[in-house]
Amino acid sequence: MKRFQIAALVVCFWLALLPAAYSQAVSSSISGTVKDPAGAVVVGAPVQLINNISKEARHASTNKNGSFKFLSVLQGTYTLRIVQPGFQTYVQNDVV
């Protein structure tokens, strides 16, 4: 009888932890600011985030502050690419 009570207590303990395990974040965000060589922000620059394994690409543009943000980015390794006419293409590989 004592073993059954201990086993039931252990099962209840693990079941109580189950919702917490499901609520763990498996995504994040990636953000940054695009500036020209003189330090001025670049407005409207197209930013591309590419998953290195699935090759899925997400797109954003910089805002009036030169900032961009990708929300709900799944775990993985990415390539960040910014191509703005009149500027050299920027590529950051292996963004984790």
Side-chain angles (χ1 to χ4, degrees), residues 7-8 24 33 35-36 49 52 61 74 76 79 81 89-90 96:
Q24 297 297 314
T33 303
K35 296 183 178 181
D36 68 13
L49 185 67
N52 289 351
S61 293
L74 297 177
T79 298
R81 182 181 193 93
T89 297
Y90 176 83
V96 179

Side-chain angles (χ1 to χ4, degrees), residues 17-27:
L17 290 179
L18 197 57
Y22 281 117
S23 68
Q24 297 297 314
V26 293
S27 66

Side-chain angles (χ1 to χ4, degrees), residues 5-73:
Q5 289 174 337
I6 292 173
L9 184 61
V10 169
V11 169
C12 289
F13 173 75
W14 285 111
L15 288 175
L17 290 179
L18 197 57
Y22 281 117
S23 68
Q24 297 297 314
V26 293
S27 66
S28 187
S29 63
I30 296 176
S31 61
T33 303
V34 178
K35 296 183 178 181
D36 68 13
V41 298
V42 179
V43 178
V47 183
Q48 189 177 42
L49 185 67
I50 306 161
N51 183 301
N52 289 351
I53 294 175
S54 70
K55 303 302 181 198
E56 175 189 0
R58 295 175 61 181
H59 304 273
S61 293
T62 57
N63 63 18
K64 65 181 180 177
N65 300 320
S67 299
F68 65 89
K69 190 168 198 174
F70 292 97
L71 300 173
S72 301
V73 178

